[in-house]
Amino acid sequence: LFVFLVLISNIHSGHTEERPKAKVSIKPNQHVFRGETVTLRCDIDAEGVTSWRYYWYKGGSTRVISELQEHKFSSVSEFDAGKYSCNGSETEGSEKGGSRSSQLSDEVTLTVSDPRAVLSVFPQKWLTEGDPVTLICEVNGSSTGWTFSWFTVTETVSSGQL
């Protein structure tokens, strides 16, 4: 009865309490390569709430995949790619008695790809012996943090194979 009267009083005086919205962040990035470490973090900013229980969902499912604030993949795979969202509920012992829950976060998409090196040659024309040439090696998506190794392969073609 007391809760009902307080609710009516708050509605009547225009003090309805809006549920806070959860927010997902991904480190290091939303697009990562297979084998990297990825951390999804759920944050909920609500006045007077010191402790939350977090719920993680994948692909719009209602099945909870984790109840931690941070959901970590130590070696991400293509299976882990997808859309993730989270929400939370106030745990017991908080100022309001553990009654509040947050709104579901917006979905964030985690993309996992296979790293592939791409070699480019400049200038792109027929070269003769002694001409200067530039070789560029890149990894699709991002070349930051990669170490590249260069090697040569020498093949001899006899005139009988032409």
Side-chain angles (χ1 to χ4, degrees):
L1 182 62
F2 173 74
V3 173
F4 180 72
L5 292 175
V6 169
L7 181 60
I8 289 174
S9 171
N10 283 345
I11 291 171
H12 184 67
S13 64
H15 289 84
T16 56
E17 193 172 324
E18 190 175 315
R19 294 188 315 156
K21 187 165 186 174
K23 183 179 179 186
V24 176
S25 58
I26 302 179
K27 288 187 180 179
N29 204 332
Q30 284 184 243
H31 181 191
V32 294
F33 295 110
R34 181 176 37 86
E36 287 190 293
T37 297
V38 179
T39 303
L40 305 177
R41 181 180 171 92
C42 186
D43 287 299
I44 305 166
D45 187 20
E47 189 175 319
V49 181
T50 57
S51 184
W52 292 94
R53 172 171 285 131
Y54 299 90
Y55 304 100
W56 284 99
Y57 309 94
K58 181 180 178 187
S61 170
T62 57
R63 188 176 73 85
V64 175
I65 60 170
S66 175
E67 291 188 11
L68 300 173
Q69 184 175 18
E70 292 189 342
H71 185 60
K72 186 174 183 175
F73 303 97
S74 57
S75 181
V76 74
S77 72
E78 288 83 352
F79 175 77
D80 300 315
K83 296 178 183 292
Y84 289 87
S85 58
C86 72
N87 67 352
S89 63
E90 185 180 3
T91 59
E92 296 300 324
S94 294
E95 191 178 289
K96 304 264 184 188
S99 59
R100 277 204 284 184
S101 63
S102 75
Q103 296 179 49
L104 187 65
S105 70
D106 293 332
E107 287 185 322
V108 175
T109 302
L110 176 63
T111 305
V112 180
S113 61
D114 201 14
R116 184 164 305 212
V118 177
L119 179 64
S120 303
V121 180
F122 296 99
Q124 293 184 339
K125 63 175 187 159
W126 287 103
L127 301 170
T128 58
E129 189 173 337
D131 285 348
V133 66
T134 302
L135 302 175
I136 299 174
C137 190
E138 299 176 294
V139 174
N140 61 351
S142 169
S143 296
T144 306
W146 290 90
T147 301
F148 297 94
S149 298
W150 293 88
F151 58 93
T152 59
V153 176
T154 305
E155 245 182 76
T156 308
V157 179
S158 69
S159 61
Q161 293 177 324
L162 294 175

